[in-house]
Amino acid sequence: MRVLVVDDERLARKELINLLNQNDNVEVLGEANNVDDAREKIEELNPEVLFLDIQMPEKTGFDLLEELDHVPLVVFITAYDEFALQAFQVNALDYLLKPIEPERLTDTLKKLEKKLEELKKEEDEAASKTSKSQLALNDQVFVKDGDKCWFVKLANVRLFESDGNYIKVYFENNKPMIHKSLNALDERLDEKSFFRASRKHIINLSWVESIEPWFNGGLVVTLKGGERIEVSRRQAARFKDLMSL
């Protein structure tokens, strides 16, 4: 597994890297001491796993994840206890308390191996359908709204809705807001899986439950979550082609 270690404490980075290097199935691609450095290295090295410190000067580990389009698997490195972490409601793959215990790290690496195997199978199935620059259903994104944080697989996001300078992300019973442009997001999403229904909405085609005619040649799409989205007349013809109507 290809790993990047992100921590502002030099000794903490070295300690973790030494432990990771004792595992033959781990390749440490590099290290970063702040968010900006980490973002550049992620773009350059494309790690599969981030070992990420939460508390860092200026920008936190959460800030880094918010800046990424595609988020690798994440293991948080933290001085927080379990209960403090639960308050963040973050469903990271795992977390390691400082100082890191070798046995605990071994357990984490086993979880990572299993998860990476699952992702590899899914990526192989989707590889022929999506270009690497696009975000596919199998990719995960990081969403933070106040103190609540989620890693969300795009397959579970049924709707993106523009709201001023923000986007409301609909998944499960949650509707957090992210500071992004709908136009910029639309360019990154796989057009075989996501459809720009209107100026305000992008829908996940796999969540479409029913379609009905609407005024002036438009359509109304009902999603499995219950949302009803109008598709303009201009977009309706393209939508019918995509859905093979």
Side-chain angles (χ1 to χ4, degrees), residues 5-7 16 51-54 75-79 96 98 100:
V5 175
V6 183
D7 195 320
L16 176 55
F51 282 86
L52 178 62
D53 190 14
I54 294 178
V75 175
F76 282 119
I77 313 164
T78 177
L96 295 170
K98 296 179 179 180
I100 295 168

Side-chain angles (χ1 to χ4, degrees), residues 77-93:
I77 313 164
T78 177
Y80 292 121
D81 64 20
E82 181 180 357
F83 300 104
L85 270 178
Q86 286 175 349
F88 287 114
Q89 298 191 14
V90 173
N91 56 331
L93 186 124

Side-chain angles (χ1 to χ4, degrees), residues 62-63 66 142-150 176-178:
F62 294 143
D63 293 328
E66 282 189 284
F142 179 77
V143 180
K144 182 174 185 293
D145 192 355
D147 284 337
K148 294 183 180 179
C149 309
W150 301 266
M177 307 278 276
I178 58 174

Side-chain angles (χ1 to χ4, degrees), residues 203 208-223 226-233 236-237 239-240 243 245:
I203 59 177
V208 172
E209 184 171 69
S210 65
I211 305 161
E212 59 189 279
W214 203 241
F215 299 112
N216 301 320
L219 298 169
V220 167
V221 174
T222 302
L223 302 180
E227 296 82 11
R228 287 170 58 85
I229 308 299
E230 288 187 37
V231 179
S232 66
R233 179 181 178 181
F239 183 75
K240 287 176 183 177
M243 300 300 288
L245 292 176

Side-chain angles (χ1 to χ4, degrees), residues 68-242:
L68 300 177
D69 286 327
H70 169 66
V71 180
L73 294 180
V74 175
V75 175
F76 282 119
I77 313 164
T78 177
Y80 292 121
D81 64 20
E82 181 180 357
F83 300 104
L85 270 178
Q86 286 175 349
F88 287 114
Q89 298 191 14
V90 173
N91 56 331
L93 186 124
D94 207 350
Y95 67 92
L96 295 170
L97 292 178
K98 296 179 179 180
I100 295 168
E101 299 175 1
E103 296 81 6
R104 183 73 178 80
L105 177 61
T106 299
D107 291 341
T108 296
L109 292 175
K110 286 177 182 175
K111 287 184 186 178
L112 285 167
E113 278 183 14
K114 185 177 178 183
K115 187 65 177 176
L116 285 169
E117 283 177 11
E118 292 172 5
L119 291 174
K120 182 70 168 62
K121 287 179 185 175
E122 292 174 1
E123 284 170 7
D124 287 344
E125 292 170 2
S128 61
K129 303 175 185 175
T130 312
S131 77
K132 285 212 168 187
S133 62
Q134 290 179 314
L135 292 170
L137 294 174
N138 186 49
D139 288 319
Q140 71 171 359
V141 293
F142 179 77
V143 180
K144 182 174 185 293
D145 192 355
D147 284 337
K148 294 183 180 179
C149 309
W150 301 266
F151 290 94
V152 188
K153 202 170 182 179
L154 284 175
N156 297 326
V157 177
R158 60 186 181 272
L159 176 67
F160 294 100
E161 181 179 44
S162 176
D163 190 343
N165 294 323
Y166 289 81
I167 298 173
K168 192 179 291 184
V169 184
Y170 288 70
F171 62 96
E172 297 174 353
N173 294 321
N174 305 300
K175 299 174 188 176
M177 307 278 276
I178 58 174
H179 189 53
K180 268 190 171 70
S181 140
L182 200 67
N183 287 338
L185 179 65
D186 189 27
E187 290 175 3
R188 294 297 319 280
L189 292 171
D190 174 21
E191 62 181 15
K192 297 183 184 71
S193 302
F194 294 91
F195 180 75
R196 182 71 178 265
S198 66
R199 185 176 54 83
K200 287 195 65 175
H201 297 107
I202 297 174
I203 59 177
N204 183 334
L205 295 174
S206 63
W207 279 82
V208 172
E209 184 171 69
S210 65
I211 305 161
E212 59 189 279
W214 203 241
F215 299 112
N216 301 320
L219 298 169
V220 167
V221 174
T222 302
L223 302 180
K224 293 170 187 173
E227 296 82 11
R228 287 170 58 85
I229 308 299
E230 288 187 37
V231 179
S232 66
R233 179 181 178 181
R234 185 170 62 85
Q235 290 290 78
R238 183 168 161 258
F239 183 75
K240 287 176 183 177
D241 288 341
L242 278 172

